[in-house]
Amino acid sequence: MNAYTSSRQPKRAAYIPSIELLPGVLAGSVPAVARMISRAEGGCAEASDALAEIYRHTGKAHIVGITGVPGAGKSTLVSSLIKAFASDGYKVGVIAVDPSSPYSGGAILGDRVRMNDAAQSCRAFVRSMATRGQLGGLARSTLQAVDVLDAAGYSPIIIETVGVGQDEVEVVTAAHTIVVLSAPGLGDDIQAIKAGILEIADIHAVSKCDKPEASATVSALKGMMALGTVKASAGWNTPVLPVSSVSGERIGDLKGAIGRHWVHLRESGELAKRQRAICKKRILGTARHLFQLKFDEKADELETHIQAVVRRDVDPSVAAHRLLGWDSEARAG
């Protein structure tokens, strides 16, 4: 390498300790917010104290979950909602959870590409996040990213989930308001998925309202609501709203319904219940993650127990108890 080539090498920016990023996050600095979310997503141990302090500054934002089956148009809808909220002066944050790349393990970033134009023209922060194998439609660090945006003054904060089907219900314990987006033309398929994501909706939206099939889907959803097939929230009549994300038709109605639900939650006392459910889910989720880390540290011991189960010397339950150090309970069981 000659002197000229060496002098042209880009200089790497000095690492800023996470705790020093804290004032920038609280002031709404976009670079500070982006760096802190990256450290949360990467599981950076050095960032734990800063993230704990950030959590003390949260609890103000309205968190909105957007979910639905693949192909319903969630990303396009979020882009329209960014513009609608921003036009009223809101500072919108978006966490778009993408499927993980099978090669790099990172996010495929399709969602952020779709939302880029909307984010650039508004006071919006959009971040894609890979699931990294996490089930339920959310990434493990999704709520830490939401904490950072909350502390930075963003509200509403929209979480767009992967779109994996009827088991994608993690968002119900991550958000205050759940919007389930359906595509027109589902027909009888609505009946097949009613036991999954349709039941968690605070608001139903049907995309592509300019298509003739949209009215049939709206009628089917309203029929399910009228029959009590889908459980309704106490004191809240779940609306079914046809929208067009491309033309913007009735996006204002959806934005208004999201706002009314936020008011309902605060006035009815339901918000406190949902906050408690979110906190419980986060504690249990973190505990499971810590258990998994402990198991990863005990790879050799785990292999010993696996071999014992393979030989039928013990059953899986006894092996699990012994791995956890609960030998007396294993014998009692």
Side-chain angles (χ1 to χ4, degrees), residues 236-302:
W236 173 257
N237 294 318
T238 304
V240 181
L241 303 174
V243 297
S244 174
S245 303
V246 175
S247 68
E249 184 179 352
R250 301 200 66 178
I251 292 296
D253 294 345
L254 177 57
K255 179 176 73 70
I258 291 171
R260 288 193 300 276
H261 188 254
W262 183 231
V263 172
H264 162 74
L265 290 176
R266 288 180 292 175
E267 293 182 348
S268 66
E270 182 67 22
L271 180 60
K273 296 178 183 178
R274 297 205 178 191
Q275 292 281 35
R276 186 181 185 280
I278 291 171
C279 291
K280 178 181 178 181
K281 182 67 177 179
R282 294 187 67 169
I283 293 170
L284 293 176
T286 302
R288 290 191 199 98
H289 177 63
L290 293 175
F291 265 119
Q292 185 62 55
L293 291 178
K294 277 293 185 184
F295 291 155
D296 292 343
E297 294 171 0
K298 295 182 175 183
D300 293 340
E301 186 179 345
L302 175 59

Side-chain angles (χ1 to χ4, degrees), residues 191 194 219-232:
Q191 298 295 328
K194 68 185 179 184
S219 297
L221 285 168
K222 287 183 175 179
M224 290 172 63
M225 301 298 296
L227 292 172
T229 307
V230 177
K231 184 179 179 181

Side-chain angles (χ1 to χ4, degrees), residues 92-284:
V92 186
V94 177
I95 301 296
V97 184
D98 282 345
S100 296
S101 164
Y103 301 104
S104 67
I108 296 174
L109 302 181
D111 290 332
R112 187 161 54 174
V113 170
R114 293 187 186 95
M115 300 174 197
N116 192 46
D117 290 342
Q120 287 184 349
S121 63
C122 306
R123 294 198 310 159
F125 183 99
V126 177
R127 180 64 173 259
S128 282
M129 186 169 286
T131 56
R132 300 189 181 185
Q134 183 81 9
L135 300 177
L138 299 182
R140 185 178 59 81
S141 54
T142 298
L143 291 186
Q144 286 184 317
V146 169
D147 288 344
V148 175
L149 292 175
D150 189 346
Y154 289 90
S155 184
I157 299 170
I158 299 172
I159 302 174
E160 184 204 338
T161 66
V162 172
V164 294
Q166 68 181 26
D167 292 329
E168 187 190 89
V169 295
E170 285 289 310
V171 72
V172 77
T173 50
H176 304 125
T177 299
I178 309 298
V179 178
V180 172
L181 182 65
S182 300
L186 288 177
D188 290 340
D189 289 343
I190 289 180
Q191 298 295 328
I193 63 175
K194 68 185 179 184
I197 58 174
L198 290 181
E199 290 184 340
I200 69 174
D202 297 304
I203 301 167
H204 282 292
V206 177
S207 62
K208 306 170 186 175
C209 68
D210 53 324
K211 291 192 173 183
E213 312 95 276
S215 59
T217 302
V218 170
S219 297
L221 285 168
K222 287 183 175 179
M224 290 172 63
M225 301 298 296
L227 292 172
T229 307
V230 177
K231 184 179 179 181
S233 175
W236 173 257
N237 294 318
T238 304
V240 181
L241 303 174
V243 297
S244 174
S245 303
V246 175
S247 68
E249 184 179 352
R250 301 200 66 178
I251 292 296
D253 294 345
L254 177 57
K255 179 176 73 70
I258 291 171
R260 288 193 300 276
H261 188 254
W262 183 231
V263 172
H264 162 74
L265 290 176
R266 288 180 292 175
E267 293 182 348
S268 66
E270 182 67 22
L271 180 60
K273 296 178 183 178
R274 297 205 178 191
Q275 292 281 35
R276 186 181 185 280
I278 291 171
C279 291
K280 178 181 178 181
K281 182 67 177 179
R282 294 187 67 169
I283 293 170
L284 293 176

Side-chain angles (χ1 to χ4, degrees), residues 61-106:
H62 181 194
I63 305 170
V64 180
I66 308 288
T67 190
V69 296
K74 296 186 297 297
S75 298
T76 309
L77 177 66
V78 172
S79 298
S80 296
L81 284 174
I82 289 173
K83 296 175 183 177
F85 278 110
S87 67
D88 283 349
Y90 289 90
K91 186 179 175 184
V92 186
V94 177
I95 301 296
V97 184
D98 282 345
S100 296
S101 164
Y103 301 104
S104 67

